[in-house]
Amino acid sequence: AQKITQTQPGMFVQEKEAVTLDCTYDTSDQSYGLFWYKQPSSGEMIFLIYQGSYDEQNATEGRYSLNFQKARKSANLVISASQLGDSAMYFCAMREGSDSWGKLQFGAGTQVVVTP
Amino acid sequence: SAVISQKPSRDICQRGTSLTIQCQVDSQVTMMFWYRQQPGQSLTLIATANQGSEATYESGFVIDKFPISRPNLTFSTLTVSNMSPEDSSIYLCSAGTTIEQFFGPGTRLTVL
């Protein structure tokens, strides 16, 4: 069964606008971590933000924030004030369990295109 | 944050041959991970490499095809053996901490 679901295969957003990328997850573990990555056309995977299942506050990193709704099992990424350089593929990932060194499971990704 | 380097960055290989990819981390890490990203797809974990023990492979990946070495806490290699065109992918090494997981720049492999 799919553990991480990203339902938006692609999105267009205008420069300076905010965009929300959806991510839902499926786990029976109480302890887990959620990650977002950016992959530009160069192929590198850039770590953006992390949210732990026990974190009470939503994670924020600069223009990135994570809208964590635990009861709904969603971890949406919000990019504020989009820039042309934000055009990339974005992946949501989850690490399950209390094993801090566990593997990441990735969603299918969302392609974001920022237009002038 | 960990800085991860990989060699080679890309290669074009003939079917039936093998390629070894190297991954170097700038700090000691407990676990290192190898992922594959097929064209237009998401990342799939191949195996987890723990120093001093055999790698743990995910379903669909076997040691004979993807042997892994982990001689110390900063270095690992992944070999893609007896390659076929279906092995054409980006191969990524990963390592990190509890709240951060970093990736190397990837190795773009094309098998003809």
Side-chain angles (χ1 to χ4, degrees), chain B residues 33-64:
Chain B
F33 304 90
W34 286 98
Y35 289 83
R36 181 176 75 179
Q37 187 178 26
Q38 294 178 301
Q41 303 294 315
S42 185
L43 280 74
T44 301
L45 181 67
I46 297 171
T48 302
N50 192 5
Q51 192 260 341
S53 62
E54 281 203 3
T56 301
Y57 289 83
E58 296 298 303
S59 176
F61 298 97
V62 295
I63 188 171
D64 290 346

Side-chain angles (χ1 to χ4, degrees), chain A residues 26-86:
Chain A
D26 181 26
T27 182
S28 58
D29 289 343
Q30 296 301 307
S31 176
Y32 52 89
L34 298 155
F35 299 75
W36 277 93
Y37 290 87
K38 172 185 178 181
Q39 188 178 44
S41 56
S42 58
E44 60 186 312
M45 290 289 287
I46 302 169
F47 168 71
L48 296 177
I49 198 167
Y50 168 83
Q51 179 84 43
S53 59
Y54 292 120
D55 294 341
E56 295 185 353
Q57 302 287 332
N58 285 344
T60 60
E61 287 288 346
R63 293 187 298 110
Y64 304 106
S65 61
L66 201 151
N67 184 2
F68 181 46
Q69 298 187 44
K70 195 169 182 177
R72 298 178 64 181
K73 294 189 174 179
S74 75
N76 298 340
L77 177 71
V78 180
I79 307 174
S80 62
S82 296
Q83 303 172 356
L84 295 178
D86 293 335

Side-chain angles (χ1 to χ4, degrees), chain A residues 35 37 39-45 47 49-50 89 91 95 99-109, chain B residues 30-31 33 35 37 41-45 48 58 90 92 94 96-105 108:
Chain A
F35 299 75
Y37 290 87
Q39 188 178 44
S41 56
S42 58
E44 60 186 312
M45 290 289 287
F47 168 71
I49 198 167
Y50 168 83
M89 182 71 89
F91 290 99
R95 180 168 57 205
D99 177 6
S100 299
W101 310 107
K103 63 188 180 185
L104 293 181
Q105 300 171 78
F106 284 83
Chain B
T30 303
M31 300 289 221
F33 304 90
Y35 289 83
Q37 187 178 26
Q41 303 294 315
S42 185
L43 280 74
T44 301
L45 181 67
T48 302
E58 296 298 303
I90 300 175
L92 297 114
S94 177
T97 67
T98 307
I99 62 172
E100 296 173 314
Q101 195 77 15
F102 298 99
F103 284 81
R108 288 180 183 267

